[in-house]
Structures are given as structure tokens and as C-alpha cells.
Amino acid sequence: MALLEIEDIHSYYGHIHALQGVSLTVEEGEIVTLIGSNGAGKTTTLRSINGILPPREGRIVFGGEEIQGTPAHDMISRGIAQSPEGRRIFHRMTVLENLEMGAYHRNDRAGIREDMDRVFELFPRLRERIKQESGTMSGGEQQMLAIGRALMSRPKLLLLDEPSMGLAPVLVERIFDIIKDINRQGTTILLVEQNANVALEIATRGYVLETGTIVNEAPAAQLREDPKVREAYLGEI
């Protein structure tokens, strides 16, 4: 049984039919990526999974249980955490306070300290900035904090939405190295990423979304060699 199964979901923004029968699976231990152009439905798919935009039709099964009617605030306790597009950290809070917010639903102090240490091992810069207001940090540091905050809930599934957005190439490489480390440590990842080249380099499998519909699904290495994918998303002709 897959960790996450999405079956024929239809999601709407008002009367706009944003997702039109999306189906996908994520096996435990995988990195699965969603690629597609702006407006294809990538972020909407994540919003449907985590309860922010519940689908009107279809099923979302996580860990063997249907979750499509679960409120967004209950998803953390079920084992799903997200690092959202645009980071959305608490700018007036310190790095430490932001990380503590990621563990707000937990009361296992020893486990929280253990996960805090794990975050600092992945992102040593955050340890250096622990008392700094997060709004005064660089974009790369804020992205590290957004991912670290999500990890503080000890998720089974980590949803990453555009982690490379607005970052210099050298920082993009660093962030994706860390994402691979997080996966190697046992966290399953569903990655939405505009930079399809980098996403397909680290992913196990990938799905291609176009106007709310899955049009291709294959192992990441196979998608990288697909002529249509290369032309449309990898900047090759």
C-alpha cells in the first residue's frame, strides 16, 4: 500500500475547475515531484492534500485512511507537514520561536530537542541565527527555516512547494542537497518545483501536470529523456 494515494480528485476555486481528475501515488521513502507550468495545478494539488482546498470529488488516502474531509489544522498530527510557497515564516519571531511553532502540537520534550538538533545539523546557519528575528534573514536562510519548521512536526510526508524560488543557483544546489539528506533520513517527500531540471535529478518518480490534469507519469530519469518534457520544462529543443 502506498503512503499517499490520490484518486481522481476534482478541486475548485469558486467556479474554476482547477484540478480535473488528478490521480497519483507516493510510496514510503520516495521523492516524487510534480512539474508543470505556472497555473498547471501543482500548488493546488498540495492544498488539496493538506486540507486547505478540499476536493469536491475523489479520494485522498494517507496511511490507509481517507483524509479528504480532514481539516487542515489536523493534518500535522496525522503526519503531513508542508513548507509552503513563499516560505511564510513568522517574520517577527526568532528562528527558535519559528521552530518551536513547528512542534506546537507535541509535548514530548526529549523528542522535540532531538528534532531541533536534527534541524540544526541539516541547517547549521539556523543555529548561528537562533535568536535573530527571522524577517531580517536572507531568502536562503528563510527557506531553510521554513523547511526546518515543517520538520519539527516529525512528518511522515513532507510537502515542499517551490523550495528554490528566488534563490541564487549556489543556494538552490545546497537546498536540494539537504532535501536529499532529509529523504535519506527516512522522510517521504512530495515536491512541487518550477526548476524541473533539479527536481528530476533528485526525484524517484515524477508527474507532469497541465491545466489541472496529469498528462505524463514515469520514473524521473525517464521523464528527463522524454522529448516533450525536455522541450517544455528543461529548456531544450
Side-chain angles (χ1 to χ4, degrees), residues 43 46-47 50 52 76 80-89 123 139-153 155 157-165 167 175 179 182 189-193:
T43 293
L46 297 190
R47 289 168 63 88
N50 67 18
I52 295 174
I76 288 283
I80 299 175
Q82 181 169 350
S83 173
E85 180 181 4
R87 296 139 199 170
R88 299 191 183 180
I89 57 172
F123 304 107
E141 291 165 344
Q142 290 183 13
Q143 184 61 67
M144 294 174 188
L145 180 56
I147 296 173
R149 182 182 61 188
L151 289 174
M152 287 300 298
S153 68
L157 176 65
L158 177 61
L159 308 178
L160 294 176
D161 196 353
E162 303 287 4
S164 76
M165 180 179 288
L167 301 186
I175 288 290
I179 291 171
I182 292 169
I189 294 171
L190 179 57
L191 168 67
V192 162
E193 177 53 53

Side-chain angles (χ1 to χ4, degrees), residues 2 31 58 105 137 165 176 183 187:
I31 299 177
H105 68 295
M137 299 195 304
M165 180 179 288
F176 276 89
N183 179 247
T187 304

Side-chain angles (χ1 to χ4, degrees), residues 18-19 22 34 37-46 192 209-212:
L19 296 183
V22 167
L34 298 177
S37 58
N38 287 333
K42 304 185 302 297
T43 293
T44 301
T45 300
L46 297 190
V192 162
L209 267 171
E210 290 182 4
T211 58

Side-chain angles (χ1 to χ4, degrees), residues 158-226:
L158 177 61
L159 308 178
L160 294 176
D161 196 353
E162 303 287 4
S164 76
M165 180 179 288
L167 301 186
V170 64
L171 284 176
V172 171
E173 183 176 350
R174 175 63 180 144
I175 288 290
F176 276 89
D177 282 343
I178 292 169
I179 291 171
K180 288 189 289 185
D181 286 343
I182 292 169
N183 179 247
R184 281 193 289 264
Q185 292 176 8
T187 304
T188 304
I189 294 171
L190 179 57
L191 168 67
V192 162
E193 177 53 53
Q194 193 71 25
N195 188 335
N197 246 322
V198 180
L200 291 173
E201 281 182 7
I202 72 166
T204 314
R205 294 184 297 112
Y207 292 85
V208 181
L209 267 171
E210 290 182 4
T211 58
T213 303
I214 300 285
V215 297
N216 198 352
E217 181 266 324
Q222 185 175 324
L223 285 178
R224 284 178 59 82
E225 299 304 319
D226 184 292

